[in-house]
Amino acid sequence: MPVRAEHDRAVLAALLGRDPVLHAYQLGDLDDFFWPYTSWFRRDEEVALLYHGADPPTLLAFAPPPRVGRLAALLRELAPVLPVRLWAHLSPGLESALAGAFRLDAAGPHHRMALTDPARLATVTPAGTVLDAGDLPALRRLYDVAYPGNWFDPRMLDTGQYVGVRDGGELVAVAGVHVFSPAYRVAALGNVTTHPRLRGQGLAGAVVATLCRRLRAHVTHVTLNVKADNAAALRLYGRLGFTRVADYGEYALSAHPR
């Protein structure tokens, strides 16, 4: 079966739903909130997503080790029609499938984590209130100081799943989501940070715990991505009941001159 565009969300949900934690971001992007920004490609039972809601677009391609070869075949066929610049999140081994068409600059190994022991959330005193569009200026100020270069789209506030802590009226800690889909029962944490002057006081754990409790009322799987060398974040999420469930790499891709 050659690669083809797939437009049937029910088909995609069935294929991705075989491993909802590995494919949490893709399942979340099936939601009406994200769907208009997506292009989907399928070869037999393997699926790749090109997400257009970021600049550059982001390619998501994940498979467990036994299926990496089949997904690599999809990517080799897909490579000629991909944008000349893009970002990619790829399961280990898939980068070689794109090396013939693109220069790949690695951003390092990453882990996918999932909330597997939610009872641990009770060990952290929650804090924070829900943010909305009116908090956008304060949130931008915090990200400029504490998390420059993060991937944040103001539309994400419309999910209602951003929680922040204030100090003297200033927003000083936040936890949010990259995807949130009650319809597909998945969420992925993202854009978590604390103001540098208040780090080490437990604020990140408090807002993440609050957000996770909110999310679990709507979804089955709470996941996140974290850089493999971010020891502080790994300790924090481990304390809160998250477990490393998969590895992947992030890459900046630029097409080879023809």
Side-chain angles (χ1 to χ4, degrees):
M1 177 181 178
V3 173
R4 63 182 180 87
E6 180 59 72
H7 305 288
D8 190 326
R9 275 192 271 193
V11 170
L12 292 166
L15 293 171
L16 299 169
R18 295 175 299 176
D19 193 337
V21 171
L22 182 63
H23 298 301
Y25 273 76
Q26 291 149 300
L27 283 166
D29 286 337
L30 293 174
D31 194 276
D32 288 345
F33 189 84
F34 303 99
W35 176 258
Y37 301 91
T38 63
S39 296
W40 299 86
F41 304 93
R42 178 184 166 206
R43 186 178 189 271
D44 295 324
E45 295 187 341
E46 305 308 322
V47 174
L49 162 64
L50 187 63
Y51 181 76
H52 305 281
D55 183 22
T58 302
L59 176 70
L60 302 181
F62 302 115
R67 301 208 319 266
V68 163
R70 295 197 291 272
L71 186 52
L74 181 159
L75 295 180
R76 282 191 290 270
E77 291 186 40
L78 183 61
V81 300
L82 289 173
V84 296
R85 288 179 55 253
L86 68 156
W87 197 253
H89 295 189
L90 305 171
S91 287
L94 291 176
E95 63 278 5
S96 61
L98 296 169
F102 293 90
R103 170 183 158 182
L104 282 75
D105 294 314
H110 288 65
H111 301 321
R112 171 69 48 80
M113 303 186 79
L115 183 60
T116 56
D117 187 5
R120 291 196 183 185
L121 296 172
T123 66
V124 177
T125 301
T129 58
V130 177
L131 306 181
D132 59 27
D135 296 299
L136 180 59
L139 186 56
R140 288 196 185 279
R141 288 194 295 271
L142 175 59
Y143 285 146
D144 285 346
V145 172
Y147 199 175
N150 70 318
W151 180 56
F152 171 71
D153 181 336
R155 290 180 69 247
M156 294 173 181
L157 280 172
D158 294 339
T159 63
Q161 303 300 327
Y162 271 70
V163 173
V165 169
R166 292 175 175 82
D167 178 45
E170 178 188 12
L171 191 63
V172 294
V174 65
V177 294
H178 281 154
V179 298
F180 169 66
S181 175
Y184 295 96
R185 307 296 297 169
V186 295
L189 301 186
N191 298 316
V192 177
T193 196
T194 303
H195 196 287
R197 67 180 169 82
L198 292 173
R199 288 176 180 164
Q201 299 184 24
L203 291 178
V207 290
V208 169
T210 299
L211 178 58
C212 286
R213 289 170 180 175
R214 287 179 55 83
L215 293 172
R216 292 188 67 242
H218 303 283
V219 307
T220 303
H221 303 286
V222 179
T223 69
L224 60 89
N225 294 336
V226 61
K227 292 188 71 173
D229 63 358
N230 191 341
L234 290 168
R235 285 195 299 271
L236 168 66
Y237 294 128
R239 271 200 319 272
L240 293 174
F242 285 83
T243 302
R244 171 182 169 187
V245 293
D247 297 333
Y248 75 96
E250 294 193 5
Y251 302 87
L253 275 61
S254 53
H256 292 311
R258 295 183 179 178

